[in-house]
Amino acid sequence: MSNIYESAEATLGFISSPCLTKVELRVACRGISDRDALSKPDPCVVLKMQSHGQWFEVDRTEVIRSSSSPVFSKIFLVDYYFEEVQRLRFELHDISSGNNGLRDADFLGAMECTLGQIVSQRKLTKALLKQGNTSGKSSIMVTAEELSGNDDYVELSFSARKLDDKDFFSKSDPFLEIFRVNDDGTESLVHRTETVMNNLSPVWKSFKVSLNTLCSGDHDRELKCTVWDWDSNGKHDFIGEFQTTYKETMKAEQEGKQIQWECINPKYQMKKKNYRNSGTVILNHCKIIKMYSFLDYIMGGCQIQFTVAIDFTASNGDPRNSCSLHYIHPYQPNEYLKALVAVGEICQDYDSDKMFPAFGFGALIPPDFKVGHLRVSFKDPAVVWVAGIQGVVEAYQNCLPKIQLYGPTNIAPIIQKVASSASEEMHTKEAMEYFILLILTDGVITDMADTREAIVHASHLPMSVIIVGVGNADFTDMQILDGDDGILRSPKGEPVLRDIVQFVPFKDFKHASPAALAKSVLAEVPNQVVDYYNAKGIKPKYVTGEIIAI
């Protein structure tokens, strides 16, 4: 039994090349053709990255209503590896009103390139190709900037008073844009607020932006702020503008003073003799938010609690048959073992006691042979903790002759079980334990509604769910859970608080090394850990060797 474990371990060879740097990508489009002659498109750009010949969504911009030449405020943050060819695909979609998903959207074109091409040129402009690779008049421009220096964020909140009224039959619908003025005099859009309808004294929602994005770490860098009156046709009316710096805003906050700026329309200022301003904009608050990295939390004492759940449904085939996905070959590990070792070997390094809960689902359990979705442990139904990944491997092999593969493929109870433990950790207010659930399955989920409900609940907890699809089944349901086509929602319509599911089909890595599988499966985990703790405002327990009171 140990020979099989060692053969899988020997082929692991997981050497992750370090990320050279992080790069911010800003996107703008020009000359988007109108599919509907009566209205302008509502564009959204989806960024995809190629992995093992397939395109996977990385992120997407906001939807800008009624715009044929949108400048998106959403910034894509990607890791840059000099030694890798990182293929990117930017897809432009026209999102129908009231729907942010892609299923009912019109495809307007795409552009493919490498990250190296963008970085080397800093500003890459290419035509958007439609179906059949036909080139239209529309184009996309991607601008790259290295992310360096301070990773902290600043939270800002603005309001305004007595803005000019630009509408005849109602009041203005104002929104605020903030631009960073670069060294070469160009301007980069930092943030665009929401529109406050029919209000000359709006209060905009607070927002967070990194100091790198806001001012490139230069506190004296000029920030240009413009206020507009939104129009549904996309031809927004200019109200006024003002200039400031991050240093000015932070100084006012530290001194407890309210700072406000006159919103000036230069044309009115030149033409109107008694012109004073077009309203005032007030800074409500400016707050620094310290951002910690994944290593900050791990080195600060946060433990990764790793749980594995294996599919023991009849669709896997009789383990005694060599065609079965659970067949134990004397020298060659099956797909379950390969996936288990590849992922588990990485995760166990972050768990000090290396004791793992191990579950199965869909089997008939001795001695009464009733269906069990939680109680199945590999050595003894009463004991679910095993020592190390080698212990999980041995327990898995030991249990196969004792159980009867049955069904159905219900994974919600497993997610709920781990979520119960994660929920206890959530109340500690410390970054002590983060839970990763690895589900290995071959089939279609039979309790999809309950699973979606369980994932939405788990998205509020210190928890991630990794699903590896074994075999050649149709894994469409898994792709839905991964949120590839928008935000996952519960049957009641409640959205996930954050994306915690990563699905990878093993067949895409059948001829690759376990290292490639592990890298793909675990790629999102560090960001998921950081996103959870930073969103909760939870600091690492130890920073630079000193204990910090939480």
Side-chain angles (χ1 to χ4, degrees), residues 304-308 344 347-349 351 353-358 384-390 392:
I304 299 296
Q305 294 293 343
F306 180 62
T307 301
V308 61
C347 292
Q348 73 174 0
D349 287 345
D351 187 337
D353 66 7
K354 294 180 173 47
M355 294 295 295
F356 303 130
V384 296
W385 293 82
V386 290
I389 295 305
Q390 183 169 5
V392 179

Side-chain angles (χ1 to χ4, degrees), residues 496-542:
V496 290
L497 183 65
R498 57 194 184 91
D499 179 18
I500 65 167
V501 177
Q502 171 75 342
F503 168 72
V504 175
F506 187 90
K507 59 186 177 184
D508 291 351
F509 299 86
K510 210 163 190 175
H511 304 294
S513 69
L517 172 65
K519 187 174 183 180
S520 178
V521 166
L522 297 171
E524 296 181 9
V525 168
N527 285 337
Q528 290 173 352
V529 173
V530 170
D531 287 347
Y532 173 79
Y533 287 121
N534 279 329
K536 293 289 185 179
I538 298 176
K539 302 175 183 178
K541 188 175 181 182
Y542 303 94

